[in-house]
Each structure stands twice: as C-alpha cells, then as structure tokens.
C-alpha cells in the first residue's frame, strides 16, 4: 500500500494564508495595495488611548500566516514608528509564520551618517525593527544604499524611477527639450541616469543658497596644545622633573571649509529644468533654486522626488514660488490642501508594492522589478 505523506504549506508557498494590516499613518495607500493584491484588509485595532499610549489588538488569528504590515512615515513620525513596532511585536507574539514590514517611506533615512557628535539614528531604527520580529523589509528609494547594511534581515528597496519617467513622458510637453538638474553634486549619478533614459542633458547645482549659520564651537578644530616646558621650580611642588610635552613636528592647522556661492554646471537656457532628488522635506530651498534656475534662463521648472514630506508651510511656499509643478509619489500621506493644490501632482506607486507582495508571497523572483531601473 502506497504511503501518502501530507505536504504542509511553508513560507513562500502560494497556499500559505496571507493577511495585510495597516496602521494609522497611511490607510489610503494600504487600501490601494490590498485592492491591487486582491485581498481584504486584516482586522486589527490600532489606536492611541487617552494617555497617548499606543494600543494594538488583533481581531483575527494569524497563527502560521504571512503577515504584511504597511506603515509609512507621516507628520507624526515618532508615533508612526512606535505604532509599527507594536504591531510587529503583536504579530510575533501571536505566532505569525512570517512578518514583512512594508515601509513606503523609511523615516530617519537621512540620518545615516556620522555628523559632528550626532548619532546614526537610521541604524538605531533598523535594529529596533529587526528586534521587534521582522523577517523582511519592503521599502522604496532609501536615501543611501548603505542603509541596507543596518538591517539584520533581507531588504527589497523598490525604485520609483519607472513611474516618474513615465510621468515625464506623458505629462511634460516637449520633454526632449528638458534638462535634468541635480540639487547637489552627490546626486549627480541619479540625475545622469534619468537623463540617459530620456536622451536629454543634465546640469549640477553647486554651492550654497545662503550663508550658513555660525558653526558651534565644539573643540574639534581647536589648535594643537602648546608645548609644556618643565618648570624650573618643580622641586618640592609634587611635579615630576621629567614631566613635559613637546612637538618636534608641529601639527598643521585645520583648514576651514568654505563653500562657494551658488553656481550652475551646465546650461538651462530656454530649457525645461527638472530638479530631481529622493525626497522633498523643506520646500523653501527648492523654491529658491527654482528662482535661481529661472534667472539662468530656464523657461519652466519642475521639482520631482519620490517622497513628498512637504513640512512646514509648504502650501504657501509652493503657491508663491517660481516652481511650475511639484511631482511626488504617494509614499507619504498629504493633507487635503496640498492634494488640491494645482501645482502638486501625485504619482501612484501602490501597484509596485502590490506586485512585490505578490511575488514574495508566491516565492517568485524580485529581479523583474529592478530591471533597467536608474542608478542612485
């Protein structure tokens, strides 16, 4: 008699049940993803109680299931982070088979380098997420590729470039007469990659928009200590007669870095200038750059980025600025007044996240989602 061995579904097997949860940061984006995937949003309660503490209650069993938690960064970024960590831990303690954190925008991604005596906060956030119990991360356009190394789990960093390039092709008249502009020299690689795909030129802005504030004196640029000579009356004073310090070869003084005034490498004369970066946080520098490019002869200026944080009084700045359009994706929620602004255009990238979730759930290769994407 033949022996039939039951085959139980494993992680990545298409038959493994899937559930998608979302927090309070960007529910509309999560609903779009669920619509594209073809599943119903999971039943979960996420709220802030009267003491402002975060409370998470699962309303269904997730034992052995693949759980996808969609949570982006918003204006309440610290609340969003702790909300996400609590959701991850709740799923972990409820015996979820696999936990995938879907972070359209990873908060604190700009704080990924050591500056002065500041800490690398993005690494701290990565450790918190992994220790909470995540097995996989899906995000989009990290500020620096080195952030991958901060996580102890696999990371899929999706790219928005196919959507932004398609927007240029469909919505910017005479795009062949445009110039891709890098806000600073460090983004030249990304901008040149866009320019190559559009068959257009690119330019680079170099220098400072305005004078920087006076730097804090922290002692790191102080001159070397002066040589100490053994005092003649050291006898009986408790000071050793051979205690001295000398510098046979003096240490050269540190040269202070002074950035030049604003200049443009390249030409935008009578062209459509498209300023490109990974996110738009403070809008005011972008508005000043738009005015500078108009002075250089650009006939129109577009600001384009993946993550539209648009903090501060963004609506007033954009409305009064020389910017013709601000093009962003929907990875970060926007207030209603910005969504209704005629100068702000939002590109939907939820389909890409839905396809990434489908491929991970079915155990398929992700390489097709990274084919012919731009450099960064």
């Amino acid at each position: 008699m033949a022996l039939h061995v039951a085959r139980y579904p494993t992680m990545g097997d298409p038959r493994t049940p899937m559930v998608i949860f979302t927090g309070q940061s960007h529910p509309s984006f999560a609903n779009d993803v669920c619509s594209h995937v073809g599943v119903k949003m999971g039943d979960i309660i996420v709220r802030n109680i009267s003491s402002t503490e975060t409370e998470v209650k699962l309303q269904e069993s997730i034992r052995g299931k693949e759980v996808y938690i969609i949570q982006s960064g918003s204006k309440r970024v610290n609340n969003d982070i702790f909300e996400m960590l609590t959701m991850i831990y709740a799923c972990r303690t409820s015996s979820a088979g696999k936990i995938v954190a879907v972070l359209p925008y990873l908060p604190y991604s700009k704080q990924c380098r050591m500056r002065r005596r500041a800490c690398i906060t993005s690494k701290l956030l990565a450790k918190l997420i992994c220790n909470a119990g995540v097995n996989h991360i899906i995000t989009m356009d990290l500020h620096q590729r080195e952030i991958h190394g901060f996580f102890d789990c696999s990371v899929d960093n999706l790219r928005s470039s196919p959507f932004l390039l398609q927007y240029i092709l469909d919505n910017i008249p005479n795009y062949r007469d445009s110039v891709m502009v890098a806000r600073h020299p460090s983004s030249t690689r990304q901008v040149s990659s866009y320019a190559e795909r559009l068959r257009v030129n690119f330019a680079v802005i170099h220098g400072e928009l305005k004078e920087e504030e006076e730097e804090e004196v922290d002692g790191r640029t102080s001159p070397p200590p002066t040589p100490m000579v053994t005092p003649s009356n050291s006898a009986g004073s408790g000071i050793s007669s051979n205690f001295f310090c000398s510098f046979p070869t003096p240490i050269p003084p540190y040269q202070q870095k002074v950035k030049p005034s604003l200049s443009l490498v390249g030409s935008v004369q009578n062209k459509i200038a498209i300023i490109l970066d990974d996110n738009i946080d403070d809008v005011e520098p972008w508005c000043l750059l738009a005015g500078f490019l108009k002075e250089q002869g650009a006939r129109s200026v577009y600001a384009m980025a993946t993550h539209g944080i648009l903090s501060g009084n963004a609506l007033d700045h954009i409305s009064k600025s020389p910017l013709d359009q601000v093009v962003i994706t929907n990875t970060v929620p926007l207030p209603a007044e910005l969504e209704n602004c005629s100068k702000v255009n939002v590109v939907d990238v939820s389909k890409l996240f839905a396809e990434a979730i489908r491929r991970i759930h079915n155990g398929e290769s992700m390489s097709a989602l990274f084919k012919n994407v731009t450099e960064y």
Side-chain angles (χ1 to χ4, degrees):
M1 183 177 65
L3 179 64
H4 296 279
V5 180
R7 181 176 180 269
Y8 293 95
T10 58
M11 287 185 289
D13 192 298
R15 295 181 298 168
T16 303
M18 174 207 295
V19 62
I20 298 178
F21 292 133
T22 184
Q24 302 179 85
S25 67
H26 205 349
S28 61
F29 184 87
N31 287 327
D32 291 340
V33 172
C34 287
S35 177
H36 294 309
V37 175
V39 299
K40 184 181 177 182
M41 183 72 70
D43 194 3
I44 188 172
I45 295 176
V46 183
R47 64 175 183 172
N48 295 100
I49 59 178
S50 57
S51 62
T52 71
E53 294 180 357
T54 299
E55 183 181 56
V56 174
K57 291 182 179 179
L58 299 173
Q59 302 296 297
E60 61 180 282
S61 173
I62 59 170
R63 182 175 295 274
K65 296 181 180 180
E66 283 189 13
V67 179
Y68 295 83
I69 299 175
I70 301 177
Q71 182 83 331
S72 190
S74 67
K75 302 296 183 184
R76 301 164 63 236
V77 59
N78 293 325
N79 184 79
D80 296 335
I81 290 171
F82 195 78
E83 197 174 90
M84 173 188 61
L85 295 174
T86 308
M87 293 172 67
I88 294 169
Y89 188 68
C91 294
R92 175 185 175 184
T93 55
S94 297
S95 303
K98 181 179 182 180
I99 303 174
V100 180
V102 183
L103 308 169
Y105 167 64
L106 180 66
Y108 289 97
S109 59
K110 277 194 169 183
Q111 299 187 39
C112 60
R113 293 180 179 178
M114 180 66 74
R115 299 181 185 278
R116 285 185 171 269
R117 291 190 173 97
C119 63
I120 307 176
T121 313
S122 59
K123 183 175 182 179
L124 170 63
L125 178 58
K127 295 298 182 184
L128 290 172
I129 293 173
C130 292
N131 289 337
V134 159
N135 304 107
H136 197 114
I137 300 285
I138 305 175
T139 186
M140 176 171 276
D141 285 349
L142 293 172
H143 185 62
Q144 295 288 340
R145 67 178 69 191
E146 292 79 10
I147 297 176
H148 282 224
F150 296 162
F151 291 90
D152 297 328
C153 61
S154 56
V155 178
D156 283 314
N157 182 28
L158 305 177
R159 306 303 304 279
S160 66
S161 56
F163 294 87
L164 296 179
L165 286 169
Q166 192 61 46
Y167 180 90
I168 295 174
L169 296 175
D170 296 340
N171 298 279
I172 298 182
N174 303 321
Y175 73 91
R176 294 282 191 185
D177 203 22
S178 63
V179 175
M180 303 301 298
V181 180
R183 283 188 63 214
H184 37 74
S186 61
S187 61
T188 302
R189 184 176 181 180
Q190 178 191 19
V191 171
S192 64
S193 186
Y194 272 75
E196 289 169 0
R197 283 157 176 78
L198 293 170
R199 312 296 195 271
V200 298
N201 293 326
F202 73 94
V204 181
I205 295 174
H206 185 254
E208 290 290 333
L209 284 167
K210 53 186 177 181
E211 293 184 2
E212 294 182 338
E213 296 180 359
E214 185 177 351
E215 294 187 356
E216 177 186 358
V217 178
D218 61 2
R220 294 189 302 166
T221 58
S222 59
T226 56
M228 295 177 59
V229 183
T230 305
S232 57
N233 58 348
S234 59
S237 62
I239 302 177
S240 174
S241 58
N242 59 354
F243 178 79
F244 67 94
C245 178
S246 62
F247 294 92
T249 305
I251 299 175
Y254 295 101
Q255 299 297 323
Q256 184 178 5
K257 182 173 68 173
V258 179
K259 289 193 175 182
S261 58
L262 205 62
S263 61
L264 181 68
V265 181
S267 175
V268 294
Q269 184 67 38
N270 201 29
K271 297 284 186 178
I272 302 171
I274 305 175
I275 312 174
L276 187 68
D277 209 347
D278 64 297
N279 71 69
I280 302 177
D281 187 359
D282 184 9
V283 180
E284 190 175 3
W286 290 74
C287 299
L288 295 175
L289 287 178
F292 171 73
L293 292 174
K294 287 286 182 76
E295 293 174 359
Q296 299 296 313
R299 67 172 186 262
S300 59
V301 179
Y302 289 73
M304 184 170 287
T306 303
H307 310 296
I309 304 170
L310 304 182
S311 58
N313 193 11
L315 179 62
D316 186 57
H317 286 308
I318 293 173
S319 301
K320 297 178 181 179
S321 73
L323 284 169
D324 292 271
Q325 278 191 29
V326 176
V327 182
I328 54 178
T329 70
N330 59 339
T331 56
V332 177
L334 289 181
E337 59 270 17
L338 280 170
E339 285 185 348
N340 298 327
C341 178
S342 59
K343 285 189 173 184
V344 178
N345 294 277
V346 181
V347 179
D348 183 21
V349 293
S350 60
K351 291 181 180 179
L352 184 60
F353 282 89
E355 179 62 15
I357 290 173
R358 188 194 68 80
R359 286 175 176 270
I360 291 173
H361 178 64
N362 292 335
E364 299 177 14
S365 172
M366 296 284 285
S367 60
L369 303 183
F370 299 97
K371 188 176 181 180
N372 295 326
V373 297
T374 57
E375 300 288 338
Y376 81 106

